[in-house]
Amino acid sequence: DAGITQSPRHKVTETGTPVTLRCHQTENHRYMYWYRQDPGHGLRLIHYSYGVKDTDKGEVSDGYSVSRSKTEDFLLTLESATSSQTSVYFCAISENPQETQYFGPGTRLLVL
Amino acid sequence: QKEVEQNSGPLSVPEGAIASLNCTYSDRVSQSFFWYRQYSGKSPELIMSIYSNGDKEDGRFTAQLNKASQYVSLLIRDSQPSDSATYLCAVMVGGKLIFGQGTELSVKP
Protein backbone atom coordinates (compact mmCIF):
# COMPACT_ATOMS: atom_id res chain seq x y z
CA ASP A 1 0.00 0.00 0.00
CA ALA A 2 2.91 2.35 -0.83
CA GLY A 3 3.67 3.19 2.80
CA ILE A 4 0.17 4.32 3.70
CA THR A 5 -1.69 3.28 6.81
CA GLN A 6 -5.17 4.16 7.96
CA SER A 7 -6.61 3.96 11.43
CA PRO A 8 -8.89 2.65 12.63
CA ARG A 9 -9.53 -0.03 10.01
CA HIS A 10 -13.05 -0.64 11.27
CA LYS A 11 -15.32 1.52 13.38
CA VAL A 12 -18.90 1.37 14.58
CA THR A 13 -20.34 4.55 16.03
CA GLU A 14 -23.67 6.14 16.81
CA THR A 15 -25.43 8.97 15.05
CA GLY A 16 -24.39 12.36 16.39
CA THR A 17 -20.98 11.36 17.70
CA PRO A 18 -17.74 12.84 16.36
CA VAL A 19 -15.39 10.54 14.47
CA THR A 20 -11.82 11.10 13.33
CA LEU A 21 -10.06 8.92 10.80
CA ARG A 22 -6.30 9.09 10.37
CA CYS A 23 -4.13 8.61 7.32
CA HIS A 24 -0.39 8.27 7.78
CA GLN A 25 2.20 8.08 5.00
CA THR A 26 5.92 7.39 4.99
CA GLU A 27 6.51 8.44 1.35
CA ASN A 28 6.83 12.20 1.97
CA HIS A 29 4.31 12.89 -0.80
CA ARG A 30 2.92 16.40 -0.88
CA TYR A 31 -0.63 15.55 -1.93
CA MET A 32 -3.08 13.58 0.19
CA TYR A 33 -6.72 12.77 -0.48
CA TRP A 34 -9.76 11.38 1.28
CA TYR A 35 -12.34 9.42 -0.73
CA ARG A 36 -15.47 7.53 0.17
CA GLN A 37 -16.67 4.49 -1.75
CA ASP A 38 -20.32 3.49 -1.87
CA PRO A 39 -22.20 1.00 -4.05
CA GLY A 40 -23.60 2.75 -7.11
CA HIS A 41 -21.41 5.83 -6.61
CA GLY A 42 -17.89 4.58 -6.97
CA LEU A 43 -15.05 6.55 -5.39
CA ARG A 44 -15.82 10.18 -4.62
CA LEU A 45 -13.38 12.83 -3.41
CA ILE A 46 -14.20 14.36 -0.01
CA HIS A 47 -11.23 16.67 0.66
CA TYR A 48 -7.63 16.89 -0.38
CA SER A 49 -4.44 18.53 0.79
CA TYR A 50 -1.61 20.04 -1.24
CA GLY A 51 0.67 20.73 1.69
CA VAL A 52 0.85 21.25 5.42
CA LYS A 53 -2.17 23.33 6.46
CA ASP A 54 -3.28 23.58 2.80
CA THR A 55 -6.56 21.82 2.09
CA ASP A 56 -9.49 22.12 -0.28
CA LYS A 57 -12.92 20.63 -0.79
CA GLY A 58 -13.82 17.81 -3.08
CA GLU A 59 -17.08 16.61 -4.57
CA VAL A 60 -18.78 15.47 -1.33
CA SER A 61 -17.32 17.64 1.44
CA ASP A 62 -20.51 18.51 3.38
CA GLY A 63 -20.37 17.13 6.92
CA TYR A 64 -16.60 16.54 6.80
CA SER A 65 -13.57 18.54 7.84
CA VAL A 66 -9.87 17.81 7.48
CA SER A 67 -6.59 18.87 8.98
CA ARG A 68 -2.97 18.42 8.06
CA SER A 69 -0.46 19.62 10.62
CA LYS A 70 2.39 17.41 9.40
CA THR A 71 3.37 16.14 5.96
CA GLU A 72 2.78 12.55 6.97
CA ASP A 73 -0.66 12.85 8.59
CA PHE A 74 -4.03 13.78 7.12
CA LEU A 75 -7.06 13.62 9.41
CA LEU A 76 -10.70 13.36 8.35
CA THR A 77 -13.31 14.38 10.93
CA LEU A 78 -17.02 13.77 10.90
CA GLU A 79 -18.21 16.41 13.37
CA SER A 80 -21.55 14.72 13.99
CA ALA A 81 -21.81 11.38 12.23
CA THR A 82 -24.98 10.50 10.30
CA SER A 83 -26.13 7.17 8.88
CA SER A 84 -25.52 8.52 5.36
CA GLN A 85 -21.81 8.64 6.21
CA THR A 86 -21.68 4.88 6.56
CA SER A 87 -19.11 4.01 3.93
CA VAL A 88 -15.63 2.77 3.19
CA TYR A 89 -13.10 5.60 3.42
CA PHE A 90 -9.86 5.53 1.48
CA CYS A 91 -6.86 7.78 1.82
CA ALA A 92 -4.60 8.31 -1.18
CA ILE A 93 -1.29 10.05 -1.80
CA SER A 94 0.54 11.41 -4.84
CA GLU A 95 3.72 13.34 -5.58
CA ASN A 96 1.89 15.81 -7.78
CA PRO A 97 -1.75 16.22 -8.79
CA GLN A 98 -1.29 14.96 -12.37
CA GLU A 99 0.40 11.73 -11.37
CA THR A 100 -0.68 8.38 -9.99
CA GLN A 101 -2.50 8.23 -6.68
CA TYR A 102 -1.70 5.36 -4.33
CA PHE A 103 -4.36 4.17 -1.94
CA GLY A 104 -4.31 3.12 1.67
CA PRO A 105 -6.06 -0.03 2.95
CA GLY A 106 -9.33 1.74 3.82
CA THR A 107 -11.50 2.25 6.88
CA ARG A 108 -14.95 0.71 7.14
CA LEU A 109 -17.26 3.02 9.09
CA LEU A 110 -20.72 2.05 10.23
CA VAL A 111 -22.93 4.76 11.73
CA LEU A 112 -25.91 3.36 13.60
CA GLN B 1 -24.11 12.87 -18.11
CA LYS B 2 -21.57 11.39 -15.72
CA GLU B 3 -18.02 12.59 -16.20
CA VAL B 4 -16.60 9.07 -16.42
CA GLU B 5 -18.74 6.14 -17.49
CA GLN B 6 -18.09 2.43 -17.45
CA ASN B 7 -20.31 -0.58 -18.03
CA SER B 8 -20.96 -1.98 -14.56
CA GLY B 9 -20.98 -5.55 -15.78
CA PRO B 10 -20.45 -8.14 -14.62
CA LEU B 11 -18.31 -9.08 -17.57
CA SER B 12 -17.69 -12.80 -17.71
CA VAL B 13 -14.94 -14.32 -19.86
CA PRO B 14 -13.44 -17.82 -19.99
CA GLU B 15 -9.90 -18.40 -18.82
CA GLY B 16 -7.39 -17.64 -21.56
CA ALA B 17 -9.67 -15.22 -23.40
CA ILE B 18 -9.22 -11.49 -23.93
CA ALA B 19 -11.19 -9.27 -21.59
CA SER B 20 -12.07 -5.82 -22.93
CA LEU B 21 -13.03 -3.06 -20.51
CA ASN B 22 -14.26 0.29 -21.76
CA CYS B 23 -14.53 3.78 -20.39
CA THR B 24 -15.79 7.08 -21.81
CA TYR B 25 -15.26 10.53 -20.37
CA SER B 26 -16.83 13.93 -20.93
CA ASP B 27 -14.05 16.47 -20.26
CA ARG B 28 -12.14 17.10 -23.50
CA VAL B 29 -9.15 18.71 -21.76
CA SER B 30 -8.35 15.63 -19.67
CA GLN B 31 -4.72 14.59 -20.13
CA SER B 32 -4.14 11.76 -17.67
CA PHE B 33 -5.95 8.43 -17.55
CA PHE B 34 -5.61 5.51 -15.16
CA TRP B 35 -6.85 1.98 -14.70
CA TYR B 36 -7.08 0.58 -11.19
CA ARG B 37 -7.92 -2.96 -10.10
CA GLN B 38 -9.84 -3.54 -6.89
CA TYR B 39 -10.33 -6.96 -5.34
CA SER B 40 -13.35 -7.40 -3.11
CA GLY B 41 -12.73 -5.82 0.29
CA LYS B 42 -9.38 -4.36 -0.77
CA SER B 43 -8.11 -0.97 -1.87
CA PRO B 44 -7.65 0.10 -5.51
CA GLU B 45 -4.25 -0.65 -7.00
CA LEU B 46 -2.83 0.96 -10.12
CA ILE B 47 -2.53 -1.22 -13.21
CA MET B 48 -1.83 1.27 -15.98
CA SER B 49 -1.54 4.97 -16.65
CA ILE B 50 -1.76 6.45 -20.14
CA TYR B 51 -1.28 10.01 -21.30
CA SER B 52 -0.96 9.89 -25.10
CA ASN B 53 -3.20 8.62 -27.87
CA GLY B 54 -2.55 5.04 -28.90
CA ASP B 55 -1.68 1.84 -27.10
CA LYS B 56 0.45 1.21 -24.04
CA GLU B 57 1.38 -2.36 -23.19
CA ASP B 58 2.55 -3.83 -19.89
CA GLY B 59 2.69 -7.60 -19.80
CA ARG B 60 -0.79 -9.00 -20.39
CA PHE B 61 -2.37 -5.55 -20.08
CA THR B 62 -2.85 -3.01 -22.88
CA ALA B 63 -4.38 0.41 -22.36
CA GLN B 64 -5.78 2.21 -25.38
CA LEU B 65 -6.54 5.92 -25.51
CA ASN B 66 -8.47 7.85 -28.15
CA LYS B 67 -8.83 11.48 -27.10
CA ALA B 68 -10.85 12.45 -30.17
CA SER B 69 -13.49 9.90 -29.24
CA GLN B 70 -13.00 10.49 -25.47
CA TYR B 71 -12.53 6.80 -24.98
CA VAL B 72 -10.06 4.72 -22.99
CA SER B 73 -10.00 0.94 -22.78
CA LEU B 74 -8.12 -1.85 -21.05
CA LEU B 75 -7.44 -5.19 -22.67
CA ILE B 76 -6.38 -8.17 -20.60
CA ARG B 77 -4.88 -10.97 -22.67
CA ASP B 78 -4.81 -14.59 -21.53
CA SER B 79 -7.25 -13.80 -18.72
CA GLN B 80 -6.72 -15.71 -15.49
CA PRO B 81 -9.12 -16.41 -12.61
CA SER B 82 -6.87 -14.17 -10.51
CA ASP B 83 -7.86 -11.27 -12.78
CA SER B 84 -11.40 -11.47 -11.38
CA ALA B 85 -11.92 -8.08 -9.75
CA THR B 86 -13.54 -4.71 -10.29
CA TYR B 87 -11.66 -2.45 -12.69
CA LEU B 88 -11.89 1.29 -12.14
CA CYS B 89 -11.28 3.84 -14.86
CA ALA B 90 -10.09 7.23 -13.59
CA VAL B 91 -9.64 10.50 -15.46
CA MET B 92 -7.75 13.55 -14.25
CA VAL B 93 -10.01 16.61 -14.44
CA GLY B 94 -8.72 19.94 -13.11
CA GLY B 95 -6.11 18.25 -10.96
CA LYS B 96 -8.66 15.90 -9.41
CA LEU B 97 -9.17 12.24 -10.18
CA ILE B 98 -12.69 11.35 -11.28
CA PHE B 99 -13.59 7.67 -11.12
CA GLY B 100 -16.07 5.63 -13.04
CA GLN B 101 -18.27 3.24 -11.13
CA GLY B 102 -16.13 0.28 -12.12
CA THR B 103 -16.63 -2.86 -14.19
CA GLU B 104 -16.77 -6.20 -12.43
CA LEU B 105 -14.80 -8.86 -14.30
CA SER B 106 -15.25 -12.56 -13.70
CA VAL B 107 -12.84 -15.01 -15.32
CA LYS B 108 -14.23 -18.54 -15.37
CA PRO B 109 -11.82 -21.51 -15.21
Side-chain angles (χ1 to χ4, degrees):
Chain A
D1 290 327
I4 311 169
T5 57
Q6 292 184 232
S7 59
R9 294 292 314 279
H10 303 270
K11 186 169 182 67
V12 180
T13 191
E14 294 186 350
T15 298
T17 59
V19 176
T20 295
L21 308 183
R22 178 182 184 236
C23 177
H24 178 79
Q25 60 145 330
T26 58
E27 305 297 322
N28 201 37
H29 284 358
R30 180 179 173 189
Y31 290 82
M32 299 185 75
Y33 309 83
W34 277 108
Y35 291 89
R36 60 178 289 174
Q37 187 173 36
D38 307 288
H41 291 280
L43 278 159
R44 293 180 292 174
L45 182 66
I46 304 172
H47 280 281
Y48 66 100
S49 171
Y50 47 96
V52 174
K53 299 192 189 314
D54 293 323
T55 65
D56 205 350
K57 296 179 179 179
E59 177 188 0
V60 289
S61 59
D62 288 348
Y64 301 95
S65 63
V66 291
S67 65
R68 192 169 178 200
S69 58
K70 298 185 291 185
T71 298
E72 57 267 34
D73 290 325
F74 191 31
L75 304 181
L76 176 70
T77 298
L78 291 64
E79 301 290 349
S80 178
T82 67
S83 58
S84 64
Q85 293 176 313
T86 292
S87 187
V88 180
Y89 292 85
F90 288 103
C91 174
I93 64 173
S94 68
E95 290 189 89
N96 71 65
Q98 297 300 324
E99 294 297 322
T100 303
Q101 292 183 17
Y102 297 95
F103 285 81
T107 294
R108 291 185 176 274
L109 177 67
L110 174 61
V111 183
L112 300 175
Chain B
Q1 182 186 0
K2 294 180 180 177
E3 292 191 74
V4 180
E5 293 203 49
Q6 298 179 251
N7 292 330
S8 60
L11 173 65
S12 183
V13 301
E15 183 175 356
I18 297 175
S20 178
L21 304 163
N22 304 315
C23 174
T24 58
Y25 60 95
S26 59
D27 193 320
R28 289 190 169 275
V29 301
S30 299
Q31 295 295 321
S32 306
F33 307 86
F34 306 87
W35 282 100
Y36 286 84
R37 176 176 62 198
Q38 187 175 26
Y39 292 114
S40 180
K42 302 296 184 180
S43 60
E45 55 179 330
L46 181 75
I47 298 175
M48 298 278 284
S49 58
I50 187 166
Y51 305 95
S52 303
N53 277 330
D55 295 359
K56 179 181 178 181
E57 187 175 317
D58 184 0
R60 295 186 295 111
F61 298 95
T62 300
Q64 299 174 318
L65 175 61
N66 184 325
K67 291 185 180 179
S69 300
Q70 296 175 246
Y71 175 94
V72 57
S73 65
L74 180 70
L75 300 178
I76 306 175
R77 292 183 300 280
D78 189 24
S79 295
Q80 301 297 309
S82 59
D83 294 326
S84 297
T86 296
Y87 290 80
L88 306 173
C89 171
V91 177
M92 192 66 69
V93 179
K96 299 174 186 176
L97 210 51
I98 308 297
F99 286 84
Q101 291 191 29
T103 298
E104 182 183 350
L105 173 65
S106 177
V107 181
K108 304 295 186 183

